[in-house]
Amino acid sequence: ESAAGGPRLATESRCQQRSKWETLRIQRERHHEQLRQQRKDSLCRREQQQIQQLRAASVPKAQPIRHYKPMRIHRSEKPLTVAKSPDFALSKRLRQRSQQSDE
């Protein structure tokens, strides 16, 4: 008598392979999700630090008083201006009209 067993079906080995593949896939997804979360956390921390730096930089600070060399004032060498009454064109027109009416 030969000990012939039933036919070996590929479904059992395929089921085992599939379960191994699923566990690996789930582990990879968890790993990628952890990496994504770490990147997101580090980005958030960096943004918070930048905001704090901007706030610290935007606080107004007192500026020191600048010291310039003293200014020496001296008399001008130009002659003073002589005041003169304005010669408006209106007065010229009135004179011309009066001369025309006299003629």
Side-chain angles (χ1 to χ4, degrees):
E1 284 181 36
S2 69
R8 183 173 168 134
L9 299 175
T11 55
E12 293 173 7
S13 64
R14 178 72 179 122
C15 181
Q16 289 175 356
Q17 290 174 357
R18 181 68 184 189
S19 65
K20 287 179 186 178
W21 183 83
E22 283 291 328
T23 55
L24 288 175
R25 184 184 62 85
I26 291 171
Q27 287 176 356
R28 270 186 270 138
E29 285 180 2
R30 286 181 187 158
H31 180 68
H32 289 301
E33 184 61 33
Q34 286 175 353
L35 290 177
R36 262 188 251 121
Q37 189 64 32
Q38 287 174 355
R39 285 187 203 126
K40 184 179 174 184
D41 291 344
S42 66
L43 179 66
C44 186
R45 271 189 260 115
R46 252 188 278 134
E47 286 176 355
Q48 291 296 329
Q49 288 175 351
Q50 287 176 348
I51 289 171
Q52 287 176 354
Q53 289 174 353
L54 286 174
R55 285 182 179 167
S58 67
V59 172
K61 295 180 179 87
Q63 297 294 320
I65 297 174
R66 292 186 176 92
H67 297 286
Y68 298 103
K69 64 181 182 180
M71 195 169 149
R72 294 182 56 191
I73 301 173
H74 61 281
R75 286 183 160 250
S76 174
E77 297 173 3
K78 294 181 181 179
L80 293 175
T81 308
V82 179
K84 178 176 141 182
S85 70
D87 189 20
F88 292 117
L90 178 66
S91 60
K92 287 182 185 177
R93 275 189 272 141
L94 289 175
R95 274 188 252 133
Q96 286 176 354
R97 285 184 187 163
S98 64
Q99 287 176 359
Q100 288 175 356
S101 62
D102 289 343
E103 292 178 357

